[in-house]
Amino acid sequence: MNEFRQAWAKWSEKWTLLALAGTLLKWIILGSGVGILTGTASALFLKSLDAVTNLRLEHSWLLFLLPAGGALVSYLYWKFGKNSSKGNNLILEQINDGQETIPLRMAPLVLFGTLVTHLLGGSAGREGTAVQMGGSLAEWFGKLLRVGPVDRKILLICGISGGFGSIFGTPLAGTVFGLEVLAIGLISHEALIPAFVASFVGNLVTSSFWGVSHLHYSIGEVPSLDWLVVLKVVFASILFGLTSILFSELTHFLKKWYTRLFKNPMLKSAVGGFIIIGLVYMIGSRDYLGLGIPLIQSSFTENVSPFAFLFKLIFTSLTLGAGFQGGEVTPLFAIGATLGNALSGFLHLYAPFLAGLGFIAVFSGATNTPIACFLMGIELFGSEAAIYLFIASIVSYLFSGHTGIYTSQRIGISKSHFISLPGGTTLSSVKGIRKKIKDGDR
């Protein structure tokens, strides 16, 4: 009997190892497939984005076409987009047990819409486009292979990670972002290897195969670790978190406000375009149009206007609120970097150092992904400032509260034991729950 048990144990152990090896091989193949698709899509997008940005800078009159361009894109989404208009939130919903399909048309629609936004002068980013293209292509890939519901969710996470990692050249941050963005306080380790493979391969395809280079910035001199500097960093990080709330809440408010005033989506975007044009001439600058990369670069090399972060925040919220396509993350980088630069004189800290902390911290607060943002800081700025980067990411994350740019993001675990929220609550439903609680108290 003992011999039988020993033989059974050995056989079971070998079978377990074979099963694990099979799982690893399976997700190397599937994750690589998603990585190839997302990396290629990101390369096409980044090259096209550079081209349209250069055109806008060479031909200033293109700004006057912004209302017409916005109306055109809104018409295409209204006519052909169906549920594609949900954007990143559609992908999050499907991973979190949604019952809708992510259409393949989402990829070309968001690509075209974002390029039009940047060509004509809207203030938007690129992460949303990369994530939506990644999710759409991953859904198509899964249908092609006829995968089951569980594998479909993992493939969608791969799409997020592959798109994010390849668009920014940060495969580690891309891996964790795809896992962390789904629910605040929870990470699905089941998709860890697939997400890493997709992000790693996606970045490799974009940079090595297609030859697309990514921007990197120098954080410069890092102060030695002492309590005074730590306290200053914590104070700045609280401000970064509060700024992320301002951005998220203003953008959501403007989306509702635009929609309430203008039922026709084409008219809504056209009016939004005219508002952007008026704002440009009101402040007398075009520095806040587009991605905001010149603002980011200036934050690491010179002093910028103390109000630059606020102008970029307003321009981006107005653009996205009116229904223009594009992401939020690169403008968030610009908002955070310029705010950090502005705080450097007040806190008596090196400007590029605070700009680097603001770069990742405002992003952390707005997306509720502190670990991904910390890893991005390491990948972009190096490990010398790791302690400060981590402090900035987690403090901003905490002080952003239960807000964020992705309304379908779930709250897995509340950020504070003093704040009780039902399981499965999304960011979009937090305000409604709080209102019910207040009404009940009355």
Side-chain angles (χ1 to χ4, degrees), residues 322-345:
F324 286 89
Q325 295 302 308
E328 300 94 343
V329 171
T330 305
L332 285 169
F333 293 159
I335 293 165
T338 50
L339 176 56
N341 183 288
L343 290 172
S344 62

Side-chain angles (χ1 to χ4, degrees), residues 239-440:
L239 296 181
F240 295 145
L242 296 178
T243 301
S244 72
I245 293 179
L246 177 60
F247 176 82
S248 299
E249 293 299 297
L250 180 60
T251 302
H252 297 324
F253 169 78
L254 288 173
K255 285 181 178 180
K256 293 178 181 178
W257 182 79
Y258 274 120
T259 303
R260 188 175 296 131
L261 288 180
F262 308 103
K263 303 299 183 184
N264 186 306
M266 288 79 81
L267 179 60
K268 176 180 71 174
S269 296
V271 171
F274 282 117
I275 291 174
I276 295 295
I277 294 172
L279 198 57
V280 166
Y281 283 92
M282 185 184 299
I283 67 172
S285 174
R286 298 189 178 212
D287 292 345
Y288 307 103
L289 302 178
L291 288 170
I293 287 177
L295 284 174
I296 298 173
Q297 292 171 325
S298 297
S299 298
F300 288 95
T301 57
E302 60 190 75
N303 291 327
V304 299
S305 166
F307 299 107
F309 83 94
L310 187 58
F311 284 133
K312 184 61 179 173
L313 187 153
I314 292 171
F315 268 88
T316 307
S317 293
L318 285 169
T319 299
L320 298 176
F324 286 89
Q325 295 302 308
E328 300 94 343
V329 171
T330 305
L332 285 169
F333 293 159
I335 293 165
T338 50
L339 176 56
N341 183 288
L343 290 172
S344 62
F346 173 72
L347 295 176
H348 301 288
L349 290 173
Y350 192 46
F353 167 69
L354 268 184
L357 298 187
F359 183 102
I360 63 163
V362 174
F363 169 40
S364 174
T367 58
N368 295 298
T369 56
I371 309 302
C373 295
F374 166 66
L375 290 173
M376 171 172 273
I378 297 292
E379 290 180 295
L380 293 179
F381 307 126
S383 60
E384 189 178 354
I387 294 293
Y388 295 121
L389 292 168
F390 192 70
I391 291 171
S393 296
I394 60 176
V395 172
S396 177
Y397 160 77
L398 176 63
F399 277 85
S400 68
H402 297 102
T403 65
I405 57 178
Y406 306 127
T407 55
S408 293
Q409 188 176 45
R410 284 187 178 180
I411 302 173
I413 299 174
S414 174
K415 292 185 183 182
S416 171
H417 292 299
F418 298 108
I419 303 172
S420 179
L421 294 169
T425 302
T426 62
L427 294 186
S428 63
S429 59
V430 169
K431 288 184 178 180
I433 291 171
R434 287 176 179 167
K435 186 178 184 301
K436 287 181 181 178
I437 293 173
K438 288 181 179 178
D439 291 343

